[in-house]
Amino acid sequence: MGRLSGKVALVTGAAQGIGATYALALAREGAKVSISDIAAPEATRAAIEAEGGTTLALAADVTDPASVEAMVRETVDAFGSADILVNNAALFGNLTLKPFWEMSGAEWDKVMAVNVRGVFECAKAVLPHMRASGYGKIVNVASGTVFKGSPLMLHYVTSKGAVVALTRALAREVGGFGIRVNCIAPGLTMSANVKANADWAGEIVAANIASRALKREAEPEDLIGTLLFLCSADSDFMTGQTVVVDGGSVMH
């Protein structure tokens, strides 16, 4: 019996990288996992099922309320509840580092729509189900860049700062319903998208590692322990918090 046996978890942005790692970890702890991405994450579904897990792979656009509502509805129809939401979907790995004056308004709006409004839409869609059961865990994903003021990605850093603020305010609004809302803030994590982006290589990665108390690259698996803590009953008296998991680059 895992810590999440009998629970139903939804993970957005689960097609690869950190999202896929989150989904597999939740399944290993006994949760039934509904995984979504712009295209249904079939590779992640296959990986979970290969280990005997129970999962549902769905296509969902977190910026589209109707799409998000359909994702939640299909999950509840299939598994009976929506106990855990991991708001992982975000634009990052494919972004190009650039000074803010070279960013277009359209690029800014796209990052905000996915990284901030997507969190809002998903939380709004699961609320009725969590409220009905009197219990729920919402885990948002911010970034250590919020506490550093990292340059050359103003839209991304701003969006993740908004996620921290959203986490705090949302926790106040839904605590009376038994819903906990917390946030993970990873450091630079070597996911597949990050490794494939030439901007995230060489001196930038080396400088990031040098800023850490623990001098190594971060891998998606480094985030699992914190994720499972925030999704399980172990953190039932904790809400509105942001936990930085970056090897000690940021300490706050």
Side-chain angles (χ1 to χ4, degrees), residues 142-150 156 160 184-188 244-246 250:
S143 168
T145 60
V146 170
F147 305 98
K148 292 181 174 183
S150 302
Y156 177 78
K160 291 304 186 177
I184 298 176
L188 178 63
V244 179
V245 185
D246 71 348
V250 167

Side-chain angles (χ1 to χ4, degrees), residues 97 188 190 194-207 217:
L97 296 178
L188 178 63
M190 304 311 289
V194 170
K195 289 178 180 179
N197 188 336
D199 280 356
W200 294 109
E203 292 182 7
I204 288 182
V205 174
E217 291 183 348

Side-chain angles (χ1 to χ4, degrees), residues 17 32 78 83 96-97 107 109 133 142 149 156 158 164 166 207 221 226 233:
K32 297 177 181 178
D83 308 299
T96 302
L97 296 178
E107 183 177 359
D109 288 347
S133 66
Y156 177 78
T158 303
V164 172
L166 184 155
E221 289 74 18
T226 304

Side-chain angles (χ1 to χ4, degrees), residues 209-233:
I209 293 172
S211 74
R212 294 173 174 163
L214 305 175
K215 309 287 186 187
R216 66 168 175 83
E217 291 183 348
E219 300 294 339
E221 289 74 18
D222 290 316
L223 304 170
I224 290 174
T226 304
L227 173 79
L228 295 178
F229 168 69
L230 293 177
C231 289
S232 72

Side-chain angles (χ1 to χ4, degrees), residues 4 8-14 18-23 25-26 31 33-36 62 71 82-90 118-119 122-123 126 130 137-142 180 182-184 223 226-228 230-232:
L4 302 177
V8 175
L10 298 91
V11 182
T12 65
I18 294 172
T21 299
Y22 286 163
L26 293 167
V33 186
S34 173
I35 53 177
S36 62
V62 296
M71 171 190 71
D83 308 299
I84 299 163
L85 168 64
V86 181
N87 276 313
N88 174 70
V119 175
C122 291
V126 299
M130 291 183 176
K137 293 294 185 88
I138 297 175
V139 180
N140 299 325
V141 181
R180 288 80 168 166
N182 291 294
C183 188
I184 298 176
L223 304 170
T226 304
L227 173 79
L228 295 178
L230 293 177
C231 289
S232 72

Side-chain angles (χ1 to χ4, degrees), residues 83 123 126-138 170-182 236 238-240:
D83 308 299
V126 299
L127 175 63
H129 305 283
M130 291 183 176
R131 186 174 181 178
S133 66
Y135 186 86
K137 293 294 185 88
I138 297 175
L170 184 59
R172 296 280 185 192
E173 290 203 39
V174 302
F177 306 139
I179 302 169
R180 288 80 168 166
V181 187
N182 291 294
D236 271 1
M238 176 178 170
T239 195

